[in-house]
Amino acid sequence: MADLEGLLLEWYEHRGRDLPWRKTSDPYAVLVSEIMLQQTQVERVVPRYLHWLERWPTAASLAAAPLGEVIREWQGLGYNRRAVSLHRAAQHVTASGWPENLTELPGVGRYTADAIARFALQHDVLPVDTNVRRVAERTGWAFGPASAHALMDLGATVCRARVPRCAVCPLATGCPSRGRRYEPLRKQSRFEGSFRQKRAAVLRLVAEGERPVAELDGEAVAALVRDGLVRLDGELVSLP
Ligand code: ADE
């Protein structure tokens, strides 16, 4: 049997992406990157990640920041609740240290916990995101923890969801799915005209300065209050 994992790792040496969070084993920096990457594309995350770590280089510095500033800094990354989770996670870590079970941290599910365990703590675990799962399913190969970054890059740049680029794939020779095409994935729900867009617009306004609730979409304000993203004091909506 071909050593697919060896081929993959060799490919990664030459073709892997040079991403800033791969140069650190600081669990806080990895947490920041993985929370940002949950729902935002790599190219958009890179500059925001670098800026974030300049502003708040440690969990303690983030924990000490006013939540409103953290929400403001998050603007443009989308899915703003992640800012609240990240702030709470930083406070948890600052007060009690890193939990044994990382999923106890707000905003940290199985994948993110495994990514921190692998990339920061060098645990023998393979974090499985959509790219990793796709490559593993198509090749039928069980990859080990050392392949995590390589699988993410192969999935993102070569073994793509609909039209994989088998002609440039280091695993094509041994791959049982070589040359296959795939149906379009479930479309990401439309942002245009969505409630999510309304919420984002209201939050952007409030981030510029406090506003009377009467000037804003009431349902969006209520949802933002529920998620801890804004505060309602009498008639005034402001960042927390
Ligand atoms: N997506 C989620 N985590 C990632 C990582 N560490 N590198 C590249 N893409 C990712």
Side-chain angles (χ1 to χ4, degrees):
M1 199 183 314
D3 175 16
L4 287 183
E5 193 154 32
L7 293 171
L8 174 69
L9 291 174
E10 177 162 331
W11 172 85
Y12 180 68
E13 258 182 55
H14 303 287
R15 300 269 181 270
R17 294 174 293 180
D18 180 23
L19 298 170
W21 46 87
R22 293 181 177 173
K23 299 183 170 80
T24 179
S25 55
D26 171 11
Y28 164 70
V30 174
L31 172 70
V32 171
S33 72
E34 291 296 342
I35 298 275
M36 288 183 173
L37 288 162
Q38 282 170 0
Q39 279 136 331
T40 309
Q41 290 171 349
V42 167
E43 312 78 66
R44 289 178 57 212
V45 167
V46 169
R48 303 298 299 269
Y49 164 84
L50 292 170
H51 187 259
W52 190 281
L53 285 182
E54 271 175 32
R55 184 163 184 189
W56 296 304
T58 61
S61 61
L62 179 60
L67 176 57
E69 283 306 305
V70 177
I71 292 167
R72 211 175 259 126
E73 186 67 49
W74 195 270
Q75 289 301 286
L77 283 167
Y79 293 94
N80 295 290
R81 268 173 288 190
R82 292 181 291 167
V84 180
S85 299
L86 184 52
H87 189 243
R88 287 191 188 139
Q91 290 183 327
H92 181 112
V93 165
T94 303
S96 327
W98 290 86
E100 184 87 28
N101 174 3
L102 293 166
T103 64
E104 285 170 15
L105 294 172
V108 175
R110 183 73 270 146
Y111 163 75
T112 304
D114 288 348
I116 297 167
R118 176 70 210 147
F119 302 139
L121 311 173
Q122 283 81 45
H123 288 186
D124 252 352
V125 59
L126 177 69
V128 179
D129 70 356
T130 53
N131 284 325
V132 173
R133 179 173 295 112
R134 187 167 62 248
V135 177
E137 283 176 359
R138 287 180 181 171
T139 56
W141 192 261
F143 293 91
S147 293
H149 280 142
L151 289 168
M152 286 177 185
D153 286 7
L154 193 77
T157 64
V158 175
C159 194
R160 292 157 61 104
R162 272 202 306 140
V163 185
R165 299 171 175 167
C166 303
V168 295
C169 181
L171 310 183
T173 309
C175 181
S177 308
R178 181 176 190 169
R180 271 194 63 184
R181 294 291 178 266
Y182 301 83
E183 290 301 308
L185 295 176
R186 184 173 43 80
K187 285 238 166 43
Q188 212 186 9
S189 59
R190 258 164 46 108
F191 184 65
E192 225 40 58
S194 68
F195 186 57
R196 194 154 70 78
Q197 182 185 34
K198 258 190 214 162
R199 282 175 47 124
V202 168
L203 185 61
R204 205 172 319 112
L205 283 174
V206 174
E208 283 167 15
E210 57 183 22
R211 296 250 166 177
V213 66
E215 290 179 10
L216 301 167
D217 180 297
E219 272 183 62
V221 170
L224 290 167
V225 168
R226 226 179 299 122
D227 288 337
L229 282 159
V230 303
R231 188 165 56 192
L232 182 56
D233 277 330
E235 294 301 306
L236 272 188
V237 185
S238 60
L239 290 186

